[in-house]
Amino acid sequence: MNSKVEAFSPDWVSPPGDTILDLMEERDWSQTELANRLGFSSKHLNQLIKGKVSLTYEAALKLERVFGSTVSFWMNRESKYRQQMAKLEAQEMYSKWVDWLDKLPLSDFKRLGVIEDKRISEKSKPLLVEQLLTFFGVASPDDWVNHYGSMNLSFRRSKENQADVGAIASWLRLGEKVAENIFAPKYNRAKFEKAVYKIRELTVLRSDEFGPIIDELCLHSGVKLILVDSIKKAHVSGVARWLNNHSPIIQLSLYGKTNDKFWFTFFHEAAHILFHSAEKKAIFLDDMDFNQNSREEEEANEWARNILIPESYELDLKCLKYKTEILDFSNRVSVHPGIVVGRLQYDGSINYNTALNKLKTSFDISKQ
């Protein structure tokens, strides 16, 4: 015998009227006689029996007096019937909404554990629709479009073809769900600016060393730092946004990221929080592998460049060619040599296919 007991989920519903019919049969009453006893019209009783009208508290009181069952019995019977009806109607709608799944990065959701990693069949799609509506916190695909479609108008893209709203919305939602479980005080700009300069001192450390420190420094100033695995079609390295008027977040994707890209992305997003917070509805989406064209992106780029390697070192930076020179320079400016290599490559002073890439560090940071 199979010890696994599955939840009973019938595809049929039984209205309170079925119980009324059973009690009528026991007493050998016609609907006309029962209608007279209850003070209902024959039409109303017929609709009540068929579940076409709701069983009210007043009707439950009358049934209690006529049949002897309690009011709570009849009200519970009605409640369970309506719940089951709503569930079956919802399941019917889920079957009609399966095309919505085509807009979502299902393979990424499997990889990230949002949905179960198994083959998706036509039979399983309605349940998947239900699960993902719950994941996004919306009631229907139309509501998803209304919410994330309007959010799309707030996107400030660094890459012109960042157009896969489904992938971007999914990545943002993953960050939102992490942020929902983190308590932070109200944002304090002065504290965050001070924290950012302290964080700059961490660039020479390993990820396992600076990870908890950068978290705490951001959180103390009211900024939530969220690290979320990438979603391929989102083309987003980082995002700066406000969940509400008091709670900014910096969300970073760490897929295949070297330390030069990580630190530049972090300070770029920090600049958006520090200098562009008047646009609290704006969502600054950034892909550091592509040029940024807007005024805000150029400002964030310039600020991130200068905090990592101050402008006063510009001339010295341009002269660097060899490993020993880069190591010496990085010691003088107190940043990791990989950051110096990344800057030289971005400026076009050295090519991207160089042995100097070994000075960079590849890492990932897992949120604890």
Side-chain angles (χ1 to χ4, degrees), residues 348-362:
S349 299
I350 61 175
N351 62 50
Y352 284 91
N353 185 21
T354 172
L356 293 173
N357 283 327
K358 293 180 180 179
L359 293 177
K360 298 181 181 182
T361 301
S362 296

Side-chain angles (χ1 to χ4, degrees), residues 100 102-105 109 135-136 144 148 152 155 163-173 231 233-234:
W100 173 60
D102 295 336
K103 299 180 180 181
L104 303 176
F109 279 160
F135 168 77
F136 282 105
W144 182 87
Y148 288 101
N152 184 37
F155 291 166
D164 194 320
V165 176
I168 295 171
S170 299
W171 188 73
L172 292 177
R173 181 59 178 160
I231 288 180
K233 292 183 179 180

